[in-house]
Amino acid sequence: MNRFLLICLVFFLFACSYPFAKQDVLETDELFFTFDDPSLAKTCNEDSIRLTRAGKLDQAEMGWDDCIKSNPNLVPLHLNRLRFYYLLDEYEVVKSKIVLESPSRTSLTYQAILKELEVNNRPEERVVVLDALTRVKGWEFYAYEELANYYLQMGNFRFAEGYFNLILEANSFHENALFGMADINIQKENWSAVLDYAKSLQTAAKKNKDFHFYFLKANYELGRYEEAIKWVESATLTEKSTIAFLEVWRDTLMVLYDNPKWDAVLPHYRTAVEKGYLVPESVFFPGLDKNSKELRSLIRTGRN
């Protein structure tokens, strides 16, 4: 008998430890949406929030599901259910529910959910939704691209590369994926790969023609200075006034010529200054003193 009671006690403790471990978070979280209008949605939403904060998770879970089933187009309800599972670290559960609901690609509700999460700076929850949508027909490639861009911004190049490659497997000339892979390989200093993606962009780019930087940068890093400078001529005006482009353009001229002329670079540098670039002209364009000559010699030597 005592052994049976002990087993029951252990089971009870383990069964109850999970909700109480998250109790403070559930009680104090302020990101649950409420409704002002007196409606059934308001009632079931408030009941589900109350059950959630009381730690009655099974009842709260059923409450969120019933509430959404009755009001499938109310974005705040979806956001509240997402928040519920997010706070409990139950990502796979909410993902499976999204997959079962199988929203169409034209679903205004899910477009609004993603927009709301973006506007309110809730990127981790947005990632949960996007990951679910990679498993929903019609959403896959949109979700891959959004996730790739997110991980690229976060500096997680392995994850970003994985999602971009999923896109490129289906469409080897997908413009945004090619730009993403070129950016990743610049960070990895894989200059041959940068050139490969730049060549694909030369064919694929329709909306964004600012791919000349990749040719300039990769050829410069590979010591092909004459080839690098050729790509300056065909670059767009917008591209020429970006700081990264200006810096490589300047460095290429420094290596190529003993007395580089800055006339072609200056107008674009001044455009960058007008946009807020703060490095003074005297600093950005080195003179021909002993230090700059030594620097140029080191660059040349290091790439021979």
Side-chain angles (χ1 to χ4, degrees):
M1 183 67 177
N2 288 340
R3 184 179 177 185
F4 175 76
L5 289 174
L6 180 61
I7 291 171
C8 289
L9 178 61
V10 170
F11 175 81
F12 176 80
L13 289 172
F14 274 96
C16 293
S17 64
Y18 179 75
F20 283 105
K22 299 287 184 178
Q23 195 68 27
D24 288 345
V25 176
L26 292 171
E27 288 179 356
T28 59
D29 188 76
E30 297 180 352
L31 293 183
F32 286 109
F33 288 89
T34 56
F35 295 95
D36 295 328
D37 62 308
S39 64
L40 290 176
K42 173 182 172 67
T43 301
C44 74
N45 184 56
E46 288 180 348
D47 287 346
S48 298
I49 293 174
R50 177 178 52 78
L51 290 166
T52 296
R53 287 180 172 157
K56 298 178 180 179
L57 303 187
D58 290 340
Q59 295 176 57
E61 185 174 34
M62 288 187 289
W64 291 124
D65 287 344
D66 290 342
C67 211
I68 287 176
K69 192 177 295 183
S70 302
N71 309 273
N73 297 321
L74 283 182
V75 171
L77 294 180
H78 288 273
L79 292 170
N80 283 349
R81 181 184 65 178
L82 173 65
R83 190 69 184 171
F84 170 77
Y85 287 112
Y86 176 76
L87 292 175
L88 293 171
D89 299 329
E90 289 284 357
Y91 311 131
E92 291 306 318
V93 177
V94 71
K95 288 178 191 177
S96 67
K97 291 178 184 289
I98 293 171
V99 173
L100 283 173
E101 289 166 3
S102 192
S104 71
R105 179 65 182 89
T106 57
S107 168
L108 296 178
T109 301
Y110 268 86
Q111 290 178 29
I113 288 168
L114 292 168
K115 186 65 176 177
E116 193 72 29
L117 292 169
E118 183 179 12
V119 169
N120 286 283
N121 194 28
R122 292 161 66 172
E124 293 175 346
E125 290 168 79
R126 193 169 188 269
V127 165
V128 171
V129 176
L130 287 168
D131 190 54
L133 292 174
T134 62
R135 310 169 202 176
V136 178
K137 187 174 176 58
W139 281 96
E140 308 98 312
F141 293 105
Y142 172 84
Y144 290 156
E145 189 172 346
E146 290 292 301
L147 287 166
N149 289 330
Y150 168 76
Y151 286 116
L152 182 58
Q153 290 171 5
M154 296 296 292
N156 188 333
F157 303 128
R158 184 169 67 88
F159 275 34
E161 193 170 12
Y163 284 113
F164 281 133
N165 276 326
L166 286 172
I167 297 170
L168 291 171
E169 284 172 11
N171 178 3
S172 57
F173 288 101
H174 189 283
E175 187 173 348
N176 292 342
L178 289 171
F179 272 106
M181 290 299 289
D183 288 333
I184 288 170
N185 280 283
I186 278 186
Q187 297 299 322
K188 293 166 67 174
E189 299 185 356
N190 188 347
W191 308 117
S192 296
V194 173
L195 280 178
D196 288 339
Y197 287 112
K199 289 171 185 175
S200 294
L201 278 167
Q202 198 175 6
T203 302
K206 299 293 187 293
K207 295 178 292 183
N208 184 357
K209 297 292 186 180
D210 292 348
F211 56 81
H212 303 80
F213 170 72
Y214 302 122
F215 284 107
L216 172 64
K217 177 68 173 175
N219 280 300
Y220 170 78
E221 295 293 345
L222 291 169
R224 304 169 185 169
Y225 309 116
E226 294 285 358
E227 180 65 22
I229 210 68
K230 289 178 184 177
W231 289 98
V232 173
E233 299 170 8
S234 52
T236 67
L237 293 176
T238 302
E239 197 172 9
K240 287 179 180 178
S241 63
T242 60
I243 307 307
F245 193 99
L246 284 166
E247 288 176 341
V248 183
W249 186 3
R250 173 202 61 196
D251 293 348
T252 307
L253 290 173
M254 282 184 61
V255 178
L256 277 173
Y257 306 111
D258 290 332
N259 298 293
K261 304 295 183 184
W262 307 122
D263 297 0
V265 189
L266 268 169
H268 306 289
Y269 161 81
R270 287 169 182 161
T271 299
V273 169
E274 289 171 4
K275 294 177 180 177
Y277 188 50
L278 299 177
V279 175
E281 190 173 311
S282 59
V283 175
F284 187 83
F285 296 103
L288 297 176
D289 58 16
K290 180 181 178 182
N291 289 334
S292 65
K293 289 178 180 178
E294 288 178 355
L295 173 62
R296 182 166 59 241
S297 177
L298 285 171
I299 293 172
R300 284 173 174 167
T301 303
R303 287 177 168 78
N304 286 337

